[in-house]
């Protein structure tokens, strides 16, 4: 099993893993991408990571990585990682909005507001990053959230 599969199965984003484990996001990104191998990590990092994932250190070291093609910024070229670890309220709002679009619901504006509010609530609660919030707004709502000062 790979680290990527484990996080997908646990429905956990690297951001959330970073918050739970106390390991910097950049360190996790290097581990996730294969740039840093788990065998090269210090005991403290391995201990925090194994505790956060509910694995023994031996099980953690047995995990493999799937190197991802990345852009010049060091982030994966696919943005689907930004949709992992979303709260149930955001997931439900996305599902409802997409169904409303498909059915051409007359109350689509209400569903749009629900999704926009769910994204902002999770952002302000620290459940998602600014990057995730912007991505979700652009992908589903066609806006970047600049009108409310979030991205300023």
């Amino acid at each position: 099993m790979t680290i990527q599969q484990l996080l997908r199965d646990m429905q956990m984003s690297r951001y959330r893993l970073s918050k739970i484990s106390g390991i910097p996001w950049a360190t996790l990104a290097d581990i996730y991408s294969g740039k840093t191998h788990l065998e090269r990590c210090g005991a403290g990092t391995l201990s925090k990571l194994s505790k956060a994932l509910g694995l023994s250190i031996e099980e953690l070291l047995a995990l493999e990585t799937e190197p991802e093609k990345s852009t010049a910024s060091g982030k994966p070229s696919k943005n689907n990682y930004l949709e992992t670890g979303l709260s149930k309220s955001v997931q439900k709002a996305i599902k409802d909005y997409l169904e409303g679009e498909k059915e051409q619901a007359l109350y689509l504006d209400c569903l749009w507001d629900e999704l926009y509010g769910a994204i902002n609530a999770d952002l302000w609660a620290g459940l998602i990053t600014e990057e995730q919030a912007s991505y979700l707004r652009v992908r589903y709502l066609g806006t970047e959230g600049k009108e409310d000062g979030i991205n300023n």
Side-chain angles (χ1 to χ4, degrees), residues 31-72:
I31 292 169
Y32 190 87
S33 69
K35 183 177 176 183
T36 300
H37 297 281
L38 286 168
E39 297 83 20
R40 308 248 357 192
C41 292
T45 299
L46 291 174
S47 176
K48 289 177 184 178
L49 199 51
S50 67
K51 183 178 178 185
L53 295 173
L55 300 173
S56 69
I57 291 179
E58 292 79 20
E59 291 170 321
L60 182 64
L61 290 172
L63 293 175
E64 300 172 9
T65 58
E66 304 172 351
E68 294 184 25
K69 293 182 180 178
S70 60
T71 62

Side-chain angles (χ1 to χ4, degrees), residues 119 123 128-139 143-145 150-151:
I119 292 167
L123 174 62
I128 61 173
T129 63
E130 179 66 48
E131 182 183 20
Q132 284 177 297
S134 294
Y135 168 80
L136 293 170
R137 287 188 201 106
V138 169
R139 171 135 192 237
T143 180
E144 294 185 31
I150 292 175
N151 288 344

Side-chain angles (χ1 to χ4, degrees), residues 94-105:
I94 289 171
K95 180 179 168 265
D96 292 347
Y97 182 74
L98 293 176
E99 285 177 10
E101 274 188 327
K102 184 178 175 184
E103 296 170 6
Q104 297 180 336

Side-chain angles (χ1 to χ4, degrees), residues 7 12-29 48-49 52-53 129:
L7 290 177
M12 183 183 296
S13 67
R14 286 180 281 170
Y15 175 76
R16 181 161 286 161
L17 179 58
S18 172
K19 291 297 182 187
I20 292 170
S21 67
I23 299 171
W25 188 91
T27 301
L28 290 176
K48 289 177 184 178
L49 199 51
L53 295 173
T129 63

Side-chain angles (χ1 to χ4, degrees), residues 16 85-92 118 122 127-128:
R16 181 161 286 161
L86 298 176
S87 70
K88 290 185 183 199
S89 63
V90 170
Q91 290 177 26
K92 181 181 182 322
D122 279 12
L127 300 176
I128 61 173

